[in-house]
Amino acid sequence: MTTVTDLNQPSLQPTAPKGRRLTLPVLLLVIAGGLALTSIVRIITGADGITNVSQMSTALELAVPIGLAGLGGLWAERAGVVNIGLEGMMILGTWFGAWAGYQWGPWNGILVGIIGGCIGGLLHAIVTVTFNVNHIVSGVAINILALGATRYLAPLAFEGVQGGSAKQSPPVESIGNFTVPGLSDALVDLNDKGWFFISDVAGLLGGLVTNVSWLTLIAVALIPATWWILWRTAFGLRLRSCGENPVAAESLGVNVYKYKYLAVIISGGLAGLGGVFLSIVANPFYLEGQTSGRGYIGLAAMIFGNWMPGGLALGAGLFGYTDSLNLRGGAENVHALLLLGAILLAIGAVWLLVRKKYVPGVITLAVGVLVFTWYSLTDEVPNQVVSATPYVITLLVLSLSAQRLRMPKADGMPYRRGQGK
């Protein structure tokens, strides 16, 4: 029987990513630095909405489904299975969650929605692990299949029911939310002062304790829980070994197929939970097209986070924040953030030039100048730019962080039981 000591042999230990790791102190410094720059921009532009409590509360709500999808992708890819099918698994979660929720209550809807996502994960595992089909092909097929299946099932389940239609479910009862009494009001008052940095921190913290869904608490708790399971338990070590060197793992007695199956099913369940959040918390009903590509953005958040839960949470928060700009004073806030973008590009250019990367540094500086010129010559941005902001930010973040990334070594690689013999 394989023991934890066996699995600590060098052949199975995942190689540490090159460069500085995103530890908690570093993460807090990054957040503090970002808030300080944002505060400067807020004072210069007068766009107080970019860090108020309502904005941050909305950003948190929008970040949760992205983060859950990204967390699902992390579980699968740490076991060596690329999960492009996160979007489809989220779609299954939205439909199954709303279908069960309006009949038997929201908490039963959450459970059934998770099961719906797990079904998508199981299908992906069968196709990729057992039959060794290309992971990308399988994921895309699941996305198409989930969309087609829910479009077929929705009229059968919801048409003729009060409040339902061919593209929408009846409303689901709310699971409720909470506000920390006293603390929330104090942070709102402090945020309204408009002080440098302090008011912005108050806005961020206020968004975390004002009108927060109980499902949001569960989703946030899953981030440290995932880290602890994958990096502090024998189960997690065995699972990660399957994504780094499955042949070596098998030689030490690890059932690679079992761990890959478990990881992908858990991945589907987490993505399904993200879909449930959309159809029960964000909106109290299923609606066709509800996911709006959040499964893909969750995958981008996972990559941005370098396949680590902490970085993933930071990426989900960033994408959720940019998505929230569509809902609250988008044009004014996005215009103000052009100045923030120009400042960040200038800092990036200086960093590249100091490291003697002259060509990338000059290009980054030129882009920063163009962004600053755009900000200086305009008073607002078109609504089309506001709508596209989350997707543009996704592309920019991935392109800028691509050089520091290090995926699991066997991620997406085909594996057959006994191939190392």
Side-chain angles (χ1 to χ4, degrees), residues 12 27 46 54 56 78 121 123 131 136 155 166 182 185 187 193 212 218 225 251 255 268 297 313 344 349 379 406 413:
L12 276 185
L27 181 63
S54 297
M56 294 303 183
R78 278 294 175 181
L123 180 59
F131 293 101
I136 305 298
D185 293 335
L187 290 171
K193 300 290 186 182
V212 179
I218 295 172
S251 70
N255 188 333
I297 298 178
L344 290 174
D379 294 324
R406 188 265 180 199
M413 295 177 60

Side-chain angles (χ1 to χ4, degrees), residues 334-405:
V334 171
H335 183 260
L337 291 179
L338 288 176
L339 178 58
L340 178 61
I343 294 172
L344 290 174
L345 287 168
I347 293 173
V350 171
W351 172 252
L352 290 170
L353 292 172
V354 167
R355 299 181 65 188
K356 298 182 180 181
K357 296 183 178 181
Y358 299 114
V359 174
V362 171
I363 293 174
T364 303
L365 183 60
V367 174
V369 170
L370 289 175
V371 173
F372 180 75
T373 302
W374 184 7
Y375 166 77
S376 301
L377 298 180
T378 59
D379 294 324
E380 62 180 22
V381 295
N383 289 330
Q384 294 86 344
V385 174
V386 177
S387 300
T389 297
Y391 308 102
V392 173
I393 293 296
T394 301
L395 292 173
L396 287 175
V397 166
L398 287 180
S399 62
L400 293 174
S401 62
Q403 293 184 353
R404 69 173 182 82
L405 300 179

Side-chain angles (χ1 to χ4, degrees), residues 48-231:
D48 293 332
I50 60 177
T51 58
N52 65 24
V53 172
S54 297
Q55 183 77 52
M56 294 303 183
S57 180
T58 303
L60 176 63
E61 183 176 294
L62 293 171
V64 167
I66 295 172
L68 287 170
L71 205 59
L74 186 147
W75 272 85
E77 299 208 12
R78 278 294 175 181
V81 179
V82 175
N83 193 355
I84 298 293
L86 291 170
E87 179 77 5
M89 296 167 197
M90 286 189 78
I91 292 172
L92 292 173
T94 61
W95 191 91
F96 279 100
W99 171 73
Y102 88 87
Q103 297 180 89
W104 305 308
W107 290 105
N108 287 317
I110 291 171
L111 179 61
V112 174
I114 292 172
I115 293 172
C118 287
I119 292 171
L122 176 62
L123 180 59
H124 188 49
I126 291 171
V127 173
T128 56
V129 179
T130 301
F131 293 101
N132 219 15
V133 173
N134 182 276
H135 299 189
I136 305 298
V137 173
S138 174
V140 171
I142 287 173
N143 290 339
I144 296 171
L145 180 62
L147 182 60
T150 52
R151 282 183 175 176
Y152 173 76
L153 292 171
L156 297 177
F158 303 142
E159 255 187 341
V161 181
Q162 184 177 2
S165 68
K167 295 186 177 181
Q168 180 178 317
S169 73
V172 181
E173 181 185 349
S174 172
I175 63 172
N177 52 34
F178 72 93
T179 296
V180 179
L183 179 60
S184 175
D185 293 335
L187 290 171
V188 169
D189 291 339
L190 189 57
N191 179 242
D192 290 338
K193 300 290 186 182
W195 295 337
F196 169 73
F197 189 70
I198 296 175
S199 292
D200 303 284
V201 173
L204 175 62
L205 297 178
L208 301 178
V209 297
T210 305
N211 295 326
V212 179
S213 165
W214 294 106
L215 192 55
T216 299
L217 274 185
I218 295 172
V220 171
L222 286 171
I223 299 291
T226 291
W227 173 83
W228 184 80
I229 292 170
L230 292 183
W231 275 269

